[in-house]
Amino acid sequence: MRYDLVIGASGATGRLVVEQLMLAQVQVRVLVRQSSAQLETLKANPQLDVRVGNIAELNTRELEALVADVKRLLLSGTSGNVSGYLWPSPPPGA
């Protein structure tokens, strides 16, 4: 199974991104901090592959496990308000 990985999935924009991906029937993996108010809601959704952690604190092994089987990485609303379609490069015109 191949996933779209959404980092920042519990924020306002990230939740919308996850919702749209699920509506498009995309397999979605999310990384959510343990302290997130949305953690239990996300974990209760059987359509999501929920991983718990802070991207800034993951070691190499944890990062490798996080991106295993990932086809696209989407970053939403992290520190510095950086958002975007990171990997692979977005399709032309996106």
Side-chain angles (χ1 to χ4, degrees):
M1 188 174 305
R2 303 280 292 169
Y3 295 93
D4 280 11
L5 171 60
V6 181
I7 298 174
S10 62
T13 302
R15 284 194 299 260
L16 295 173
V17 169
V18 170
E19 179 181 305
Q20 291 301 307
L21 290 170
M22 289 191 317
L23 285 172
Q25 300 194 11
V26 172
Q27 297 296 317
V28 181
R29 176 177 291 163
V30 298
L31 179 66
V32 183
R33 292 181 185 164
Q34 182 67 42
S35 61
S36 171
Q38 298 297 316
L39 178 59
E40 293 307 315
T41 300
L42 291 167
K43 286 172 79 173
N45 187 329
Q47 292 180 268
L48 294 176
D49 178 19
V50 178
R51 306 293 175 98
V52 179
N54 182 330
I55 191 71
E57 298 173 354
L58 300 180
N59 63 39
T60 301
R61 183 181 49 79
E62 292 166 328
L63 282 170
E64 288 173 346
L66 178 65
V67 299
D69 300 320
V70 167
K71 63 181 177 181
R72 291 189 295 183
L73 171 62
L74 300 105
L75 179 64
S76 175
T78 61
S79 298
N81 294 320
V82 175
S83 295
Y85 183 115
L86 298 178
W87 176 79
S89 299

